[in-house]
Amino acid sequence: MSGIVLHQYAESPFSEKVRSILGYKGVSYQSVEIPMIMPRPDTMPLTGGYRKTPVMQIGADVYCDTAIICRVIDEIYPENTIYPEEHLGMINTVAHWTDTFLFKVCVAIAFQPKAAATNPLFQDESAMSAFMADRAEFSKGSSELGMPFETAEPHFIGHLNQLDQQLSVGGPFLFGDKPSIADFSTYHNVWFIYTREALRDYFSPFEHLMAWYEKMLSFGHGNVEMIAGSEALAQASASLPEEIMDAAFLDNFQAGQLVSVMPIDYGFQPVIGELLAAGMDEIAVARNDDQVGRIVVHFPRTGFQVVE
Ligand SMILES: N[C@@H](CCC(=O)N[C@@H](CS)C(=O)NCC(=O)O)C(=O)O
């Protein structure tokens, strides 16, 4: 069986969420450092269009969106589950809110003028305009990531304050003694801001939150071997996708239909393929790629739309 290959880049907060879970679980895996902007010639043959970061590959199976990536990692490495059954509904709700609303808030905080002035990416004018043009293309058709800084800041500080208060009386993690997916979703947002030195003062009043953050940081990134994108593509070419057992179909969809799948919030780059599953938790489509052959692309149900 092929192992996990994480396609990610160092500065990506959602990649940090997955790296941290792989660290917590002590997983050995491979990783491809992808460019921060398009083109990504070693990723697109795998996803067939989806371009958010990160993406996880296992042979010829490709997982898009951390909601499914983290769940699949937990299924493969179930020890110390990050989806404890007694809190499952609430933990997933918190994780979803954090990965959508709070992330939106954090984007506005991270790219405020004070932080942009010291961001290494923005020191080179041509790199900065290439990044802005790339993200404009990425966000086309969506206003989701456009929250004004003045709106975002009170939401950000208010939430840090609530987390700090909770952690001062409970913990050590958000839902008890062990970290859950809610901790990892919160962690990558805090990491996104904390790693920008110009913004570190936001955290000074919150010692309990900082103690929690240090614990989360200490999980590290697991045992990672960096590989070239071409090596990942060769693994996909040499593999066949796993068969999907007991595929479910909600919403009147049927096996074999040609569909288009894309996120509902931003990153409206569709993946077109033959529907293999559209159940409560997962959408899967098969595609044939000229370069790597048959690939099955998996998405979480929540946060995605399927169009005939
Ligand atoms: N819901 C997605 C969000 C992923 C996301 O927004 N990732 C950012 C980077 S952290 C992104 O895709 N930026 C544009 C890009 O990398 O092309 C997930 O959970 O994976």
Side-chain angles (χ1 to χ4, degrees), residues 19 51 67 71 79 95 99 160 166 197 238-239 242 270 282:
R19 294 186 295 247
R51 64 149 288 189
R71 210 169 66 215
E79 205 180 325
D99 284 344
L160 295 188
Q166 177 183 331
E197 265 182 49
S239 313
E242 292 287 315
E282 178 177 353

Side-chain angles (χ1 to χ4, degrees), residues 9 11-15 17 34-38 40 50-54 64-67 69 99-100 103 134-135 138 145 265-266 304:
Y9 54 84
E11 298 82 353
S12 149
F14 279 96
S15 301
K17 175 184 173 189
I34 66 171
M36 208 190 272
I37 61 174
M38 299 295 265
R40 294 181 184 141
Y50 177 87
R51 64 149 288 189
K52 286 189 187 177
T53 308
C64 298
D65 197 290
T66 60
I69 293 173
D99 284 344
T100 51
F103 179 65
D134 177 81
R135 290 310 192 256
F138 169 60
L145 293 181
D265 51 2
Y266 57 92
F304 282 79

